[in-house]
Amino acid sequence: DAGVIQSPRHEVTEMGQEVTLRCKPISGHNSLFWYRQTMMRGLELLIYFNNNVPIDDSGMPEDRFSAKMPNASFSTLKIQPSEPRDSAVYFCASSLTSGGADTQYFGPGTRLTVL
Amino acid sequence: KQEVTQIPAALSVPEGENLVLNCSFTDSAIYNLQWFRQDPGKGLTSLLLIQSSQREQTSGRLNASLDKSSGRSTLYIAASQPGDSATYLCAVDNAGNMLTFGGGTRLMVKP
C-alpha cells in the first residue's frame, strides 16, 4: 500500500491567496484526520471525518478554513484567504475504523509558507 | 480539556544506553494512548498503541506502559542506537479517534 498521500509537499503563497491541500487516505480506511503542526502550538487536530462525514471540526481555527471529503479516497483542506500565521506543516492521517481501536497512519505532510 | 505533557523536551544519550521517555495527561478517561516517532521533515510513524484496559505493550526494543489512575505513560527504549534519534510524541485519545498530542521529546543517540 502506498500509504497516505498528500499534495503538494511544499506550498509557498502570498497573503490573501487561496490555498488547497489534498489528501488520499489508505484504501479501505474509514476515518480521515487533518492536523496542523507548528513550533509554538505543536500538533493539533483540525477536523475528523468518518465515512466521509465531518464528525468534529472544533479544531478548525476560523471560518477561513474549510475541509471536504467528497468520496472515500479524497479530501481537501482549503484556506481562503491565507494569512502568514497559517504557515505550518499540515498532516493528513487515516485509520481503519472509528472508536479509538486503531492507530492512525500519517502522510508526509504539506509545508505551507504564507508570505 | 485534556493536556498532555512530555518530559524531557530533549535528551542526548550515548549509544547502547537504556532510556525512558515520560508522558503525563490530565484526564484519565481515555480510549487509548499512542506513541509516535517523527523524523525531521517527515510524518509520524506509530510505534505502540495501548488500549485503556491494557497496562503495557511491547515491540522489539520498545516497551510502553500505561497507568491511567496516575495519568502517566512511559516509553522504554532498550539498547539505544543512533537510528533511534528522532522526536517521540505521546498522544491520548479521549473521544474515539480524537488525539491530543504532547510536545514531544527530541532524542539524540550519539555513536
Side-chain angles (χ1 to χ4, degrees), chain B residues 6 10 19 33 44 53 84 88 90 92 94 100 104 107-108:
Chain B
Q6 291 187 246
L19 59 99
L33 183 144
L44 280 68
S53 58
D84 295 331
Y88 291 81
C90 165
V92 173
N94 272 109
T100 302
L107 173 66
M108 176 171 288

Side-chain angles (χ1 to χ4, degrees), chain A residues 66-81:
Chain A
S66 63
K68 294 182 179 180
M69 192 165 186
N71 57 62
S73 59
F74 184 66
S75 177
T76 60
L77 178 67
K78 184 179 293 185
I79 308 172
Q80 180 185 21

Side-chain angles (χ1 to χ4, degrees), chain A residues 33 37 97-98 100 103-104, chain B residues 31-32 34 38 46 51 97-98:
Chain A
F33 312 82
Q37 186 175 39
T97 63
S98 61
T103 194
Q104 296 183 19
Chain B
Y31 279 73
N32 64 55
Q34 301 181 41
Q38 185 174 27
S46 178
Q51 299 289 355
N97 263 337
M98 295 180 63

Side-chain angles (χ1 to χ4, degrees), chain A residues 46-66:
Chain A
L46 300 178
I47 187 168
Y48 154 42
F49 292 86
N50 189 46
N51 292 323
N52 312 338
V53 176
I55 303 300
D56 192 302
D57 65 354
S58 58
M60 296 285 262
E62 46 196 280
D63 291 345
R64 298 184 296 106
F65 286 69
S66 63

